[in-house]
Each structure stands twice: as C-alpha cells, then as structure tokens.
Amino acid sequence: MQFSQAGLLVGIDRGATLVDPRLAFFSLGGNGLENVRTRVPFINGPFAMMIAKIGYCYAMAEYGDDYFDATDIRALLMGTRDDVYNFVGNAENPERLSTWHLRGLYFRRRAEWLTVLVHLFASCHSQQGTNICNPYEVVVGRAL
C-alpha cells in the first residue's frame, strides 16, 4: 500500500481517510512463489497506525523524549485524535536503502520535523535487484 506524503510535511490536512491509495506488488521469488496471490478486504487506518507505532517506538528507543516533541503522535496513538495520514505517508522520492535485513528504519530531519523511514520487507527488493524503494515516512514530532 502506498500513500501520499504525510500531511504535516506538505502542509495539507490529510485527516483519517485514505484518498487515492496505490497498491504496490513485489515478488518473493524462489521455488514456486511467483504465482502466489491473496485478497483481503481494505479497512482504512489500521495499517497506517501500525506504521506510526513502528516509527514512534523506534524514535523513542533511539532518542527518548528529550530529542523531539512527541505530544501529537502520542495523542494519535492513544486515540484522542484520528488524523493518521497527517503523520504517515510515503517518502516524497524513492530512496536507496539497505536490503541486507528484513526491515530498515532510518531517521530524517525534514525542516522542523523528525521523521522515521520505515522500510518493510527490505530484503524483498525488485526483480531487477535494485535497492531503490519508496518507504513509509512517519512524522514522530518536532525536533528539539
């Protein structure tokens, strides 16, 4: 699932409703896995909330709460606000990231914001063998 950029990064209130979703497919390759398909009903929000939790937990584990103001994302995670797409989106441009591990987490400073890039299934890169991807980007708070 691919999203637009997080609303806080582009100055647009994206709210809690996914608009214009894009699906991305990748091949796990290997013995007979090329033709595996699945269908699941789309429920708006839980996947983006999972990405937000991953980004927030990583930022807290690495920096603690002295490095950035996490008040707003905490309110989102605690359910007192529901505008998940203001905090979660995809990176604006494709990134060249490591494919050595199952997942990758990276910090970015975007103007006043501290963000975390969340690269799921990093070792499952494109068939061309490139490590260029469009990871999720979570706005974890204002950098202090």
Side-chain angles (χ1 to χ4, degrees), residues 13 18 25 30 32 43-44 73 77-78 100 106 110 117 140:
D13 182 4
L18 185 60
F25 299 94
I43 301 171
N44 195 29
I73 196 167
L77 298 177
M78 292 172 54
W100 284 85
Y106 310 88
R110 303 273 309 267
L117 296 182
V140 293

Side-chain angles (χ1 to χ4, degrees), residues 43-107:
I43 301 171
N44 195 29
F47 181 72
M49 285 295 289
M50 179 192 73
I51 300 296
K53 291 173 187 176
I54 291 170
Y56 171 76
C57 290
Y58 181 68
M60 288 304 292
E62 292 294 314
Y63 288 132
D65 58 4
D66 292 334
Y67 191 75
F68 64 102
D69 178 4
T71 304
D72 292 332
I73 196 167
R74 275 194 207 110
L76 174 74
L77 298 177
M78 292 172 54
T80 57
R81 61 186 297 168
D82 67 352
D83 56 337
V84 66
Y85 298 107
N86 284 329
F87 295 87
V88 176
N90 279 96
E92 177 181 19
N93 297 309
E95 297 265 349
R96 184 175 299 276
L97 301 172
S98 172
T99 58
W100 284 85
H101 303 287
L102 180 60
R103 57 97 189 120
L105 298 165
Y106 310 88
F107 286 106

